[in-house]
Amino acid sequence: MASSSHRRRTQPKPDRNFEWRPVRGPLLAVAAVAAVALVVTLVVALRPGDAAGATGQDRAASGPASEAVTSAAATPKEPSPKPSTASPAPTASRRTTASPSPSATASRAPSRAAANGTTRTTTAPAAGRIRPGTAYQGVATSYDAGNGDGACSYGPTSDVLTAAMNTADYETAKACGAYVSVRTASGTSVTVRITNECPAPCAAGQLDLSHQAFAKLAPLSAGRIAITWSLLSPAVSDTVSIRYKTGSSQYWCGIQAIGHRNPLARLEVRTGGGWLALTRTGYNYFLSEHGTGCGGEIRLTDIYGEQLTVPALAVRPDVIQHTGVQFARH
């Protein structure tokens, strides 16, 4: 049906038999359109979020519910956190037990000064063939130790509980001064100090005990017995002493440490360029062939890595000079 704007409306002629009625369809349509337009206009004008007409009171009147919806829509969702790639902090259970390098350990170790100026530091262990905490199997024989002197060049001694170490474990005098616990299968034991070397036919693991020491384990008539022996770090009353060899001077010297609780691993002397390790001889002196460091500071290191730094001592051949300090007990 065509719209009313495109159609002319005419009035019919009066007829007695005809009842005139107004055309209401187009008027109702126009009224309906106008009403819809009015409602739309009112809605737009009264919309709370309209930028042109909304006020603070209008937003407050919209109520908490509308605010919650608006806030949820405006707040972006936080992304899920990505896993961290950083290394976890170490804990006590993960604490590492690997041994550090000698230089690193020495730099961290605190120094302890003795009354005479001697200092202590710690470096890496330097055990040789004879190691702490190890039991060695072998045999024991005996010999007449005489005045107690031997290859270690300690000189005569009143200590009768001594022993000579087989050449392999003597290790170019590295065993000199070591305290060793010797035990038989029956449980009998004796502690001896190594002062001598037992050459072939003494085999690896064999100890040649003084008669007095052997008699603590078995009758001398037994001649040869099976033993187990291990290194000790005992309580001692002596402190470490230094002795320069006969003939020593500022041009050549031999240096010996005496009375150390634990076996000695190194002896060094101070030079202009630092510490110089001297060569150890089979008769238990450390030699400086050209006099380097003779009469200067001396640093001693035991097989556990402890170091004693002794202040400069005068070169006095064949004179025992006391330091007043001792290696720690282990």
Side-chain angles (χ1 to χ4, degrees), residues 75-290:
T75 304
K77 183 179 180 181
E78 295 184 0
S80 300
K82 295 182 180 179
S84 173
T85 57
S87 300
T91 62
S93 62
R94 299 180 62 183
R95 184 175 300 169
T96 178
T97 56
S99 299
S101 64
S103 59
T105 307
S107 64
R108 292 196 300 269
S111 296
R112 292 171 290 170
N116 62 354
T118 302
T119 58
R120 299 172 181 265
T121 56
T122 303
T123 183
R129 285 176 58 89
I130 303 176
R131 297 178 177 274
T134 303
Y136 298 90
Q137 303 292 329
V139 296
T141 52
S142 69
Y143 79 109
D144 183 1
N147 63 6
D149 197 7
C152 293
S153 304
Y154 290 136
T157 178
S158 59
D159 181 9
V160 296
L161 299 181
T162 60
M165 180 66 73
N166 67 84
T167 297
D169 295 320
Y170 183 76
E171 200 175 2
T172 315
K174 200 166 188 176
C176 284
Y179 289 87
V180 173
S181 174
V182 186
R183 184 178 297 273
T184 65
S186 65
T188 306
S189 65
V190 64
T191 297
V192 297
R193 185 169 64 101
I194 305 302
T195 61
N196 209 347
E197 178 183 9
C198 183
C202 276
Q206 184 173 344
L207 291 176
D208 205 19
L209 307 178
S210 66
H211 286 332
Q212 295 87 340
F214 191 94
K216 297 283 186 180
L217 303 176
L220 292 179
S221 58
R224 185 183 182 94
I225 58 175
I227 58 169
T228 300
W229 57 273
S230 57
L231 187 66
L232 291 179
S233 179
V236 295
S237 58
D238 293 338
T239 58
V240 179
S241 298
I242 298 295
R243 178 165 58 189
Y244 278 95
K245 194 178 187 309
T246 302
S248 294
S249 69
Q250 60 180 321
Y251 306 107
W252 178 95
C253 66
I255 308 174
Q256 181 187 58
I258 305 171
H260 41 85
R261 185 199 311 270
N262 307 317
L264 196 64
R266 286 193 306 274
L267 187 151
E268 302 165 280
V269 293
R270 174 80 76 178
T271 69
W275 291 103
L276 172 66
L278 300 185
T279 301
R280 193 174 202 164
T281 66
Y283 53 90
N284 196 33
Y285 273 90
F286 294 81
L287 301 185
S288 177
E289 297 287 356
H290 304 288

Side-chain angles (χ1 to χ4, degrees), residues 32-87:
V33 171
V36 170
L38 178 60
V39 170
V40 171
T41 300
L42 291 175
V43 170
V44 173
L46 298 177
R47 186 174 57 188
D50 183 68
T55 64
Q57 294 178 349
D58 294 331
R59 294 190 184 97
S62 62
S66 62
E67 287 184 359
V69 173
T70 304
S71 176
T75 304
K77 183 179 180 181
E78 295 184 0
S80 300
K82 295 182 180 179
S84 173
T85 57
S87 300

